[in-house]
Every structure is written in structure tokens, then in C-alpha cells.
Amino acid sequence: MRLEVERLSTGYGRVPVVRDVGFTIEPGRLTAILGHNGAGKTTLLRAIVGVLPAREGSIRFSGTEVSRLRPHLRVRRGLAYVPQGQQAFGQLTAAENLRLVADYYGAAGRRRVADALDLFPALRELLARPAGLLSGGQRQQLAIARALVTDPELLVLDEPTEGIQPSVVTEIQEAIATLTRARELSVLLVEQHVGFAVAAADEFLVLTSGRLSHRGPGGPGAAAEAHRVLAL
Amino acid sequence: MTLVLTTIVSGLCVGSLLLLIALGLGLTFGQMGVINNAHGEFIMIGAYTAYLVQRALGDPGSSLLLSLPVAFVTAGLLGVVLEVTLLRRMHRRPLDTLLVTFGVSLVLQQLARDLFGAPSVNVTAPAWLSGDPFVIAGADVPRTWVFLFALSIGCVLGLRIVLGVTPLGRRIRATVQNRDLAETSGISTAATDRMTFFIGSGLAGVAGVGVTLLGAISPTLGTSYIVNAFLVVVAGGIGQLWGSVVAAFGLGILESFIGFSIGQSTAQALVFLVVVVFLQFRPQGLIALRTRSIA
């Protein structure tokens, strides 16, 4: 799996938000996207997964142009998305949130639900509860688990720890680290916790006013540089 | 006392038909934001389907039973055609869909006039429905009313099962709640929309078969039911199955009582007034969602 984004531009209505952005994610790598509020991080992710149409440029996934595909067809090709805001189908139970996705994959889907619950064991006791009644942290774990049931090759995570209590943040961060190491899953991560994101990442990108303004190698020692770039 | 009971049962009969019609309207409006003014014409199509099946088979009993699935599929497929050719481009544009489907309803009515003629036609009720009425607590209850009530309850339970425990039902409920999230979870919302339209329009077709037991069939048959069905959808709470059940039977009984005591045309106006006043105090309808999440 390789994600290649070239000269991508997108926005809302007539307002351009992301302009001329290009980068590549190699298989099994974690890439973090940093930037201040309003820099266009979420908009960029929404264009990559297909919720927003790309105005210009190309998005190739495993060598295939996907920028014209509907979002669900990108998911079937291995591109999973966990949107901002701990989104779940609130009227469905937690179990139904997972089965909804697993339905497409038969027995393999059921196995993946079990695997996802191994990653977030706290969800096991909450399966019968409507997702709308779960806490923010529980919903976020459910959202990541739901994405994993699609058996992704690239997981796109938009602020997975935003507004979540610290103990759950740690669990989610550990899960992301596990996924990238043990399952060789590629991850594209937008995250406000700059220290965690850069330490976990193989590479970090900085968006400024919708344009890619900086890129650098990730790792435990790279947080200082990321903070310095963001302060400029 | 007997008159009161008869009025209530009559209201349940009217409510049964309203419920069948409102279920489909509520499904499509809740999921796609589409106000389908042509929904009444799917009732008409169901009724003419029953007429054609009876002409082909002859026997009223077996033709009625066969008409139910045939009308469901016929109206359902026409609903899919409407969704694919026109409405899929108009999601969340209710006023546009209201106008477009009004035009579609006029076209379908004219088509029915061309095919079947302007005069009304009749479907003969089977002997097991036209026999002596049941007597319940001293009140005469026509067999057709009992049949319609059982039919609507059967459809509600069937829909409850489809929505509650099947993969299609999960996809429909997910798409209703959050279309973007459903797409990015791997669900084809376009395919789900088509299936929802099929089921919703099919239920109107089934209601059309039921209507043939109450009177003559004409090309404008559906227009007399569609407004009250919209009232049921709004009063019950958009997309709320049990809200629709309570609202349909509630409005049916209310209209029946006012109709018996004052007159049918006044009843229609007063039911409107009651729903308008009700919505001032409870704009979300009888049943509203309870959730901590935004989706």
C-alpha cells in the first residue's frame, strides 16, 4: 500500500482551504499532520477519504487513482477513516456499530470484530449499550474499532484524543502504537498532542494556511523541532 | 357505549391505512430529506394492481392475497425508478422534491386515466371478508376493518424486524443518522437509499390493496390519503416507527370521533388544527431521540 497525494486542492463552496498539497505515505509508516486551528488538516483528510471532492490534483492508493471514487469504495480498497469528534451511530448499540461494518465481510468480519475488541477490551461490556450513551472516550475506541473491522491498509485518524480524559488518551495512544508496529498498518494522523504525534510518527508534515510548509522526520527526539516550527 | 366502540374501531381502521402509508413516507423523509408528494400515487398503483390481479385470476380470495406481494413489488420498483431518475439528485432539498414529485403525481394520475379510464373501478372483496361482521362488546366490526388492522400491524412488525435485526436494517438506520459516517464506514448509501425507497413505496402499494376493500378505485385515489399521512409522520416524530404507530391510530380515532359527531369535512379541518397546536408544544413529534453523541 502506498498513498500518493499530488497537488491536491479542495475547499468548501468557493472558499479554497487546502492548496497544492503533495506527500507520499509508504507502507507501514505513520505520518503525522500538524498545524494550527484552521490550517486545513481536517479538510485535507476529508478530501483523501472522499467526503469532500478534490478540486484539483490526484490521490493514488496502491497505484490506483481514487479521487473520483465514492468514500465507501475507498474503504473497500483499504482506506479507513476515523473522523473528528468521537463519531458513532448513536441510536445503534455498540455491537451494531461493529456488525454494521462486519456484515460486508462475513466470517472474516466477525473475526475482525473479535480482534478489534481485543485491542479495546473495555468495549466488551458495553456492546449492548446504545453508542449515543457511551462516554466520549468509549465512543472514540468504538470508532477506531469500527474502522479496523474494514481491515484497512491505511488508517486515517482525525484528532483521536481530542476532548478525551487522560487515562483513555493513553489507551488510544498505545493502541495506535500497537497497530503500526504489530500489524504493519499505515497511519495518517492529525493530532493536537504534538509530542505524542511526532514521537510516534516516522515523518511529520506541517500545514500552514492550507499549504504544506514543512516536513521532517519523526521519532522521540523530533518533538522539539516540531514545536519550534509550529511557533514560527 | 356501542357507538363509542364502533367509532374507535372505525378510527383504528382509518389509522391502519394511514400507518401503512406514513411508514414509507417517514422512511424516505428521514433518510433522504425527500418529501415525496407522489407517494399517494403508489397507493393508487397498489390499488390498480389488485384490480388487475383480480381480473387475471377471477377468484377474489386468492387474488387479494396474491395482490399484496405483487403490489408491494410493483409500487416498490416504481419507487426505485423515481429515486434513481429524479430524487437522488435532490437529497436534503425538501422543497424541490415537493414540487418535482407533485409533477410526477400528476403524470402518474394521467397515466392511470389513459390506461384504466377516468371512471372508478371496483375490486370484489372475498366472501370471507364480506360475511357477517364480528360482534365485539355489542358493536358490529366489519371483517374488512379487522383485516386492515391485522395487515398494518403485520407490516409494522415486519418492518421492525427488517430495521432491527437485518444487515439492511442496520445500514438504513446508520444512513439515517449520519450519511457521511455511513459512507466512510464502507456503506453504499446510494444502494441503501434505493432499498429504502423500495420498501417505503412497496408499503404504499400494500396500503393501496387495502384501500380497495373500502371503496372504488380512481386515478386520484391517493390524494385523499397523502395529507393525513404527512400529518402522521410529523406528529409521530420523523423516522420514529412507534411514534408513527401512535400518531396514526390517534389521528384515525380523533378523525372518526369528530366525523361521527360533527361531520367528515369538519373533522379533516379540526384534525389539522389539533396537529398544528400539538406541534407548537412538541415540534419534534411524539417521540424524540435520546443520545449523548452528535451522530
Side-chain angles (χ1 to χ4, degrees), chain B residues 234-235 237 272-288:
Chain B
V234 177
F272 255 120
L273 188 65
V274 168
V275 172
V276 168
V277 171
F278 169 75
L279 290 175
Q280 296 300 311
F281 293 99
R282 201 167 168 81
Q284 73 274 36
L286 280 171
I287 294 180

Coordinates of all heavy atoms in Angstrom, one line a residue, chain B residues 234-235 237 272-288:
Chain B
V234 N -45.2 13.7 10.8 CA -44.7 14.9 11.5 C -45.1 14.7 13.0 O -44.3 15.0 13.9 CB -45.3 16.2 10.9 CG1 -44.8 17.4 11.8 CG2 -44.8 16.4 9.5
A235 N -46.3 14.3 13.3 CA -46.8 14.2 14.7 C -46.1 13.1 15.4 O -45.8 13.2 16.6 CB -48.3 14.0 14.7
G237 N -43.0 12.0 14.9 CA -41.6 12.2 15.0 C -40.9 11.6 13.8 O -41.1 10.4 13.6
F272 N -56.4 18.8 11.4 CA -55.3 19.7 11.1 C -55.0 20.6 12.2 O -53.8 20.8 12.6 CB -55.7 20.6 9.9 CG -55.1 20.2 8.6 CD1 -55.9 19.8 7.5 CD2 -53.7 20.2 8.4 CE1 -55.4 19.4 6.3 CE2 -53.2 19.8 7.2 CZ -54.0 19.4 6.1
L273 N -56.0 21.3 12.8 CA -55.8 22.2 13.8 C -55.2 21.6 15.0 O -54.2 22.2 15.6 CB -57.2 22.8 14.2 CG -57.2 24.0 15.2 CD1 -56.5 25.2 14.5 CD2 -58.6 24.4 15.6
V274 N -55.6 20.4 15.4 CA -55.1 19.7 16.6 C -53.6 19.4 16.4 O -52.8 19.7 17.3 CB -55.9 18.4 16.8 CG1 -55.1 17.5 17.8 CG2 -57.3 18.7 17.3
V275 N -53.2 19.0 15.2 CA -51.8 18.7 14.9 C -51.0 20.0 14.9 O -49.9 20.0 15.5 CB -51.7 18.0 13.5 CG1 -50.2 17.8 13.2 CG2 -52.3 16.6 13.6
V276 N -51.5 21.0 14.4 CA -50.7 22.3 14.4 C -50.5 22.8 15.8 O -49.4 23.2 16.2 CB -51.5 23.4 13.6 CG1 -50.9 24.8 13.8 CG2 -51.5 23.1 12.1
V277 N -51.6 22.7 16.7 CA -51.4 23.1 18.1 C -50.4 22.2 18.8 O -49.6 22.6 19.5 CB -52.8 23.1 18.8 CG1 -52.6 23.3 20.3 CG2 -53.7 24.2 18.2
F278 N -50.5 20.9 18.5 CA -49.6 19.9 19.1 C -48.2 20.2 18.8 O -47.3 20.2 19.7 CB -50.0 18.5 18.7 CG -49.0 17.4 19.0 CD1 -49.0 17.0 20.3 CD2 -48.2 16.9 18.1 CE1 -48.0 16.0 20.7 CE2 -47.3 15.9 18.4 CZ -47.2 15.5 19.7
L279 N -47.9 20.5 17.5 CA -46.6 20.8 17.1 C -46.0 22.1 17.7 O -44.8 22.3 17.8 CB -46.5 20.8 15.6 CG -46.7 19.4 14.9 CD1 -46.7 19.5 13.4 CD2 -45.6 18.4 15.4
Q280 N -46.9 23.0 18.1 CA -46.4 24.2 18.7 C -45.7 23.9 20.1 O -44.7 24.5 20.5 CB -47.6 25.2 19.0 CG -48.2 25.7 17.8 CD -47.3 26.5 16.9 OE1 -46.6 27.4 17.3 NE2 -47.3 26.2 15.6
F281 N -46.3 22.9 20.7 CA -45.8 22.5 22.0 C -44.7 21.4 22.0 O -43.9 21.2 22.8 CB -46.9 22.0 23.0 CG -47.9 23.1 23.3 CD1 -49.1 23.3 22.6 CD2 -47.6 24.0 24.3 CE1 -50.0 24.3 22.9 CE2 -48.4 25.1 24.6 CZ -49.6 25.2 23.9
R282 N -44.8 20.6 20.9 CA -43.8 19.5 20.8 C -43.4 19.4 19.3 O -43.8 18.4 18.6 CB -44.4 18.2 21.3 CG -43.4 17.1 21.6 CD -44.0 16.0 22.4 NE -43.0 14.9 22.5 CZ -42.0 14.8 23.3 NH1 -41.8 15.8 24.2 NH2 -41.2 13.8 23.3
P283 N -42.5 20.3 18.8 CA -42.2 20.3 17.4 C -41.4 19.1 17.0 O -41.4 18.8 15.8 CB -41.3 21.6 17.3 CG -40.9 22.0 18.7 CD -42.0 21.4 19.6
Q284 N -40.8 18.4 17.9 CA -40.0 17.2 17.5 C -41.0 16.0 17.3 O -40.5 14.9 17.0 CB -38.9 16.9 18.5 CG -39.4 16.3 19.8 CD -39.8 17.4 20.8 OE1 -40.4 18.4 20.5 NE2 -39.6 17.1 22.1
G285 N -42.3 16.1 17.6 CA -43.2 15.0 17.4 C -43.3 14.2 18.7 O -42.7 14.6 19.8
L286 N -44.1 13.1 18.7 CA -44.3 12.4 19.9 C -43.1 11.8 20.5 O -42.9 11.8 21.7 CB -45.3 11.2 19.6 CG -46.8 11.5 19.5 CD1 -47.5 10.3 18.9 CD2 -47.3 11.9 20.8
I287 N -42.2 11.3 19.6 CA -41.0 10.5 20.1 C -39.8 11.3 19.6 O -39.7 11.5 18.4 CB -41.0 9.1 19.7 CG1 -42.2 8.4 20.4 CG2 -39.7 8.4 20.0 CD1 -42.3 6.9 20.0
A288 N -38.8 11.5 20.5 CA -37.6 12.2 20.1 C -36.4 11.4 20.5 O -36.5 10.5 21.4 CB -37.5 13.6 20.7

